[in-house]
Every structure is written in C-alpha cells, then in structure tokens.
Amino acid sequence: MLSTAVIMKIGLIIVGVMIMIMSFIFHAKRKLTVNLAVVWEFLGVALILIGAVPVFSSWCHLLARGTVIAMFVVGALALWGSYILCILISNLSMKNQELAMQVSLLNQENELMLKEIEKLKEDRENDR
C-alpha cells in the first residue's frame, strides 16, 4: 500500500501535468491568451517540481490521509474556478482587442470620408 506522502506527491505531479496540457490545448484553441497560458504553465511546472523533488515535498509526510483528500478536493475546486475565470478574462480581452481594431478602422474610414466631403465642397465652391 502506498503511503499518504507518496499519493500526495503523485497527485501533485498528475495535477501539474494536467494543468500544462489544458493550458496548451486552450491556448491552441484560442480560448486562453498567451500571458495567462504562460502563467498556468509555470504553475504546472511548479506543481510537478513540488511533487518530484524531495526537498520541496518533505512536508507531505506530515499530513493525514483525510487532510490530503480534503486538500485535493478544495485545491481542485479552487484551480478549476480560477481556470474558468482566466478563460473568461481571456475571451473578454480578445473581444476588446477586436473591437478596438474595428473602431480604429471605422475612424480611419470616417477621416477619409470627411476629407472627401471637404474636397467636394471646395470643388463645388470653385465651380460657382
């Protein structure tokens, strides 16, 4: 039977790998911006290092089995909620950037139309 510390270390490594894979997939599907994907990748690497390097995971021996289960449940819910919020923030950020580009193009088109109107007014005044 595996000890609680070994189960916790394996769990941390698995969660770290899952976070890295999900970040890569969501970034590839353009649901997560680059900066947020990089932050989640760093978090995944940190979890993998905590689970794999004995110096970082020496505290795992101090926890009881029930505490480990509670930590994983609460941690999973917190991570999932944070991940969903990051996806929503990324989505809004990308929409905001797209709208800013559209406004810029409309302003440029508006300036061209105003110049054309001024030119037509001058031509009309010169014809009189």
Side-chain angles (χ1 to χ4, degrees):
M1 187 82 183
L2 295 173
S3 70
T4 306
V6 173
I7 292 171
M8 178 115 179
K9 291 176 185 181
I10 292 171
L12 286 171
I13 293 170
I14 290 171
V15 169
V17 170
M18 286 175 47
I19 285 174
M20 291 179 72
I21 290 171
M22 286 177 50
S23 297
F24 182 78
I25 289 172
F26 281 131
H27 176 63
K29 290 183 177 180
R30 305 193 45 75
K31 291 188 177 192
L32 198 60
T33 57
V34 174
N35 53 356
L36 290 174
V38 168
V39 170
W40 282 102
E41 292 290 335
F42 279 137
L43 179 66
V45 168
L47 287 175
I48 291 170
L49 287 175
I50 289 171
V53 178
V55 173
F56 299 139
S57 60
S58 60
W59 56 271
C60 292
H61 298 285
L62 304 173
L63 301 174
R65 187 174 299 268
T67 307
V68 170
I69 293 170
M71 282 179 62
F72 270 112
V73 169
V74 170
L77 291 174
L79 282 174
W80 184 253
S82 300
Y83 215 81
I84 296 300
L85 283 174
C86 283
I87 290 173
L88 290 173
I89 290 169
S90 292
N91 191 13
L92 290 173
S93 176
M94 287 186 272
K95 284 182 180 180
N96 190 25
Q97 186 177 9
E98 183 180 337
L99 287 173
M101 284 189 262
Q102 288 178 355
V103 166
S104 175
L105 290 171
L106 288 171
N107 283 339
Q108 184 180 12
E109 184 179 339
N110 189 24
E111 286 178 17
L112 290 173
M113 290 172 67
L114 287 174
K115 286 180 184 177
E116 189 68 29
I117 290 172
E118 288 296 323
K119 184 179 174 187
L120 288 172
K121 281 183 182 179
E122 287 177 5
D123 289 344
R124 181 176 264 176
E125 287 178 5
N126 289 339
D127 289 341
R128 288 185 188 179

